[in-house]
Structure formats: C-alpha cells, structure tokens
Amino acid sequence: MNFKLKFLVIGCGSIGRRHARNAVNLGAEVILCDLNIQRMRDVGAPLGITDYYTDFQTAIDKSGADTAVVATPSNFHFEPAKALVEHCIPVLMEKPLCLSLDEALHLERIVRERNVILMMAHTYRFRDEWIAVRHMLDDWSLGKIYSAEFAGGWYLPDWHIREDYRTEYAGKKELGGGVMFTSMSHFFDIVRWFFGEVDLITRVRMKQSNLDINVDDAAVCILKASSGVIITIIEDFLSRLPRRQLRINAEYGYVEIDFNRKQMSFWDAHAKRYDPTIDAATSTNPDLFRILEDGVGYDLTPEVKILKYSGNDAYLNELKSFFEIVSKKTTHFALDIDSGIKVLELIHNKGIQHG
Ligand SMILES: NC(=O)c1ccc[n+]([C@@H]2O[C@H](COP(=O)([O-])OP(=O)(O)OC[C@H]3O[C@@H](n4cnc5c(N)ncnc54)[C@H](O)[C@@H]3O)[C@@H](O)[C@H]2O)c1
C-alpha cells in the first residue's frame, strides 16, 4: 500500500512513535510534533523524518499536513483535535476522545458542520484475537447469551520499562490518567461492538494500591445490553500477571477466552453433558464432573482454539483503515466520533441506573 498523504503525528511518545513508523511503512510522508525535541529526533532519525514542530498550531498552519493523529496524553486531546477539524484535516484520535462531554460535543459539532473525518483509535477492533471473538459471535451456536464477564489488568510499574511510572500520564489525574480513561475505555468500546448499545447499571471505582499515583487503579462496572446480556468488567493497574479475559455464559454452553494466552475454550452442552438415565456409562465414569452424586455428568474439557495474536499488525491495520477512509472520502464508518462519545458517556456514568 502506498498512501500519498502528509501525516502529522502530534505527540511522539509510545503510541505516537508506533503511528509514525507505521505511516512511513504505508508510504505516507510523516511530520512530527512534540514538546520534546530530543524525542522527535529519536523517533524521526531511524525513519528518515526531518520535519519537526514543537507547537501543534504551527505544525497545522505550516507543514501542509493533510491527515493527523492526536497521540498526546489524554488531558490534551481536545485542543489539537479542535484545531485539526477546524482546518478540515482528517484526524485519527487516540482514545479517549477527550476528557469532558462538553469538549466531545463541541468537537462533534465542528465535525458535523465541516463534514470532516474523525476516526477513533479503538485499537482492539483491529486485533486478530478480538476479531476472532466477533466472528464467533456472528456464527454463534450456543443460544441466548446470558452474561459476559471481562477481566483485564496489568501492573502499572511494568508498562514502560524505560519510564518511571510516577511520571506517566496513566498515573496522573491532571494528565487524564486512571483506569477508567486509560483502560476501561477499550472495554467499553468492545462491549458495544460485541453486544450492541449498553446502559451502565452501576460501578465501583477506587484506588486500592500503595502505588505513588493520584488516580483510580481499579474499577468494576456492571452494564446491561439492549439485547439483555448482563456484562461485568473488572479492570486494574495492579494485576501482577497481565490478563485480558472474557467469559460468556449462554443457554447451551460456555466460552472462555484468554487473550494474552491466545486461547479460546469452547464448551458446548450438547456434546459435553451426559444424562445417566440415557447413557449408562455416565454413572461409572470417574472423569465426569457431577454437581451431586446422582446428577448429570459433565465433561469439563473444552474444545480449544489457538488464536492468532496481532502485535503491531493491529495498529498498522487501524492506520491503514484510517488512510483508506480518507482516500475514499468515506462518510459512514464504524469508529466515527459517535463511538468516542458513547464511550465517554459510559466513563462519565451518563444515565447510570442503580439496581
Ligand atoms: N489505542 C491504543 O491502544 C493506545 C495505546 C497507548 C496509548 N494510547 C493513548 O494515546 C495517548 C498517548 O499515550 P502514550 O502512551 O503514547 O503517552 P506518552 O506519554 O508516551 O506520549 C505522549 C507524548 O505527547 C507529548 N506531548 C505532551 N503535550 C504535548 C503538546 N502540547 N504538544 C505536542 N506533544 C505533546 C509528550 O511529550 C509525549 O512525547 C493517550 O491518550 C493514550 O490513552 C492508546
């Protein structure tokens, strides 16, 4: 693929660096903007990028950029995004869209008025392992889904080995950090993608650890999808063993997905449930699990599928999708500004119902 675009990367930290590299690989000309000149040199030199700006407004006015990504800390998404859409420059927005709903609605107004492309970087939708689950739901064979449980977490000090976690945006309230904005935002988007529109029923959000941060480091949310599925999400900055898991309980079976171990376990009741009144061997088979001694026997061994794991491909495909939307001037696409606003509404408890 060779996209003849001039792509401005605003914020050249961990994710901005990745976008810059991917954009070069997709054939775009890349321009960098960061407050930290040395960081731009470190990112730009191996990629042959020489166009650097320390001020996003100057970059927008002078660089000739025709596309951009906003990859600054979450507290500083609104200002560059507003300047870009006011200049009708299509923008890929890192999540969350911004911090406040007022800012989000302000952006939405400009996007609609000027008919400019703003695509949310909800990267999980481009990850092979999450796409595999979406396909499984498309071909679903286990009847009505009753509940889905997401669990995610990793230990904040282990995130970036070269940085002190106390200086990173994720642990700082003033930079828009915390579990809800940083991590839960991914899950909120995924829940909508998998199960349709959701209402937030209740949530607990707190700081549990002694980590030197001033944000929530753990949260539990309960949501209900319009389809009736009850969803719980637990997410934290504390899990010593990194985890990304989903369990689905359905009418005729159960599915367990461990995204980090790349494994999907599928348990179909039709194949794994033995009725002792029909199957005589059931009562003498010691390997079957029984709730009570004279009850039904269950073979707990699931069918296991190994998932492909995306790595950088997810980010590359996300950027490619953005470039294609821009090149084809697509007007309707899934990750539009509305998808960012919906996630922000959930983060802000909009419409929360207790009970
Ligand atoms: N989609 C994903 O999977 C994903 C992954 C990581 C981060 N993110 C999001 O991307 C954003 C950035 O995260 P990160 O981990 O790269 O952060 P980071 O701290 O590594 O990088 C942020 C960069 O922005 C620069 N910056 C700060 N203020 C600026 C300004 N006014 N103008 C220009 N540059 C400025 C900083 O100097 C730094 O280089 C966050 O909002 C985060 O939520 C998304």
Side-chain angles (χ1 to χ4, degrees):
M1 269 303 162
N2 213 359
F3 292 94
K4 296 282 167 226
L5 294 165
K6 285 187 93 172
F7 183 59
L8 170 62
V9 178
I10 306 181
C12 302
S14 103
I15 196 77
R17 175 190 300 257
R18 192 186 280 280
H19 287 310
R21 197 173 52 229
N22 286 339
V24 167
N25 288 335
L26 289 170
E29 185 184 329
V30 175
I31 303 140
L32 301 180
C33 172
D34 200 292
L35 299 177
N36 183 331
I37 297 175
Q38 188 53 46
R39 185 163 290 176
M40 284 193 279
R41 289 199 186 111
D42 292 346
V43 173
L47 298 170
I49 302 168
T50 50
D51 215 359
Y52 302 154
Y53 293 84
T54 50
D55 167 48
F56 72 85
Q57 195 61 62
T58 314
I60 291 169
D61 293 340
K62 300 261 172 71
S63 71
D66 53 18
T67 44
V69 62
V70 173
T72 41
S74 304
N75 70 314
F76 197 68
H77 283 186
F78 174 68
E79 288 82 358
K82 177 168 170 286
L84 287 162
V85 291
E86 277 176 346
H87 281 74
C88 293
I89 297 176
V91 53
L92 178 66
M93 278 305 300
E94 269 310 338
K95 53 87 210 165
L97 174 58
C98 47
L99 295 191
S100 86
L101 275 169
D102 283 349
E103 288 173 347
L105 296 176
H106 190 109
L107 284 179
E108 187 195 23
R109 204 167 54 244
I110 306 171
V111 164
R112 303 261 180 253
E113 273 168 16
R114 310 210 172 178
N115 200 20
V116 52
I117 290 164
L118 184 150
M119 175 178 146
M120 287 304 305
H122 285 143
T123 315
Y124 282 22
R125 294 205 195 193
F126 296 89
R127 299 200 72 90
D128 285 328
E129 60 274 30
W130 295 84
I131 292 169
V133 179
R134 180 59 268 178
H135 289 330
M136 177 194 69
L137 292 169
D138 290 339
D139 301 331
W140 189 244
S141 58
L142 298 183
K144 188 173 170 172
I145 298 178
Y146 296 129
S147 61
E149 301 156 46
F150 289 85
W154 34 48
Y155 186 53
L156 184 63
D158 288 348
W159 279 25
H160 296 128
I161 198 78
R162 286 178 194 80
E163 315 248 354
D164 180 340
Y165 77 91
R166 289 167 290 198
T167 64
E168 292 195 66
Y169 78 91
K172 287 186 175 290
K173 189 169 194 285
E174 56 284 12
L175 295 184
V179 161
M180 292 300 291
F181 280 115
T182 308
S183 311
M184 194 66 88
S185 50
H186 278 304
F187 276 131
F188 281 159
D189 177 64
I190 282 297
V191 158
R192 295 185 61 244
W193 189 39
F194 285 176
F195 303 113
E197 287 310 330
V198 289
D199 286 321
L200 183 62
I201 305 300
T202 191
R203 79 161 182 209
V204 179
R205 169 193 201 179
M206 60 192 292
K207 180 168 185 294
Q208 286 188 305
S209 73
N210 291 325
L211 290 177
D212 191 6
I213 55 179
N214 65 356
V215 291
D216 49 327
D217 56 18
V220 181
C221 295
I222 300 180
L223 304 104
K224 191 170 148 233
S226 48
S227 54
V229 182
I230 298 167
I231 299 145
T232 58
I233 311 176
I234 179 161
E235 175 70 67
D236 64 47
F237 285 169
L238 313 173
S239 299
R240 300 307 297 242
L241 188 70
R243 58 186 181 140
R244 279 266 168 278
Q245 294 153 342
L246 167 62
R247 292 188 279 269
I248 299 176
N249 199 23
E251 201 173 1
Y252 303 118
Y254 178 75
V255 179
E256 207 166 75
I257 300 129
D258 189 320
F259 294 98
N260 291 359
R261 290 204 182 97
K262 306 167 212 164
Q263 191 170 296
M264 186 189 295
S265 307
F266 197 83
W267 194 93
D268 183 340
H270 295 115
K272 301 283 183 176
R273 179 181 181 277
Y274 296 92
D275 180 344
T277 62
I278 301 168
D279 184 348
T282 310
S283 47
T284 55
N285 185 342
D287 293 333
L288 296 181
F289 169 80
R290 283 190 187 76
I291 298 167
L292 293 173
E293 248 173 52
D294 57 346
V296 163
Y298 297 88
D299 177 355
L300 297 184
T301 320
E303 306 307 320
V304 176
K305 186 178 163 193
I306 302 301
L307 300 176
K308 214 171 119 205
Y309 192 69
S310 288
N312 182 59
D313 283 356
Y315 297 96
L316 189 68
N317 289 336
E318 175 185 78
L319 192 59
K320 195 167 137 208
S321 166
F322 171 63
F323 284 171
E324 279 169 354
I325 286 169
V326 172
S327 303
K328 292 178 187 158
K329 298 188 172 58
T330 310
T331 46
H332 289 95
F333 50 94
L335 289 175
D336 62 6
I337 190 165
D338 196 43
S339 70
I341 293 174
K342 289 271 165 47
V343 166
L344 205 58
E345 285 177 348
L346 292 169
I347 292 174
H348 282 288
N349 285 342
K350 192 158 177 255
I352 194 164
Q353 312 160 18
H354 291 272

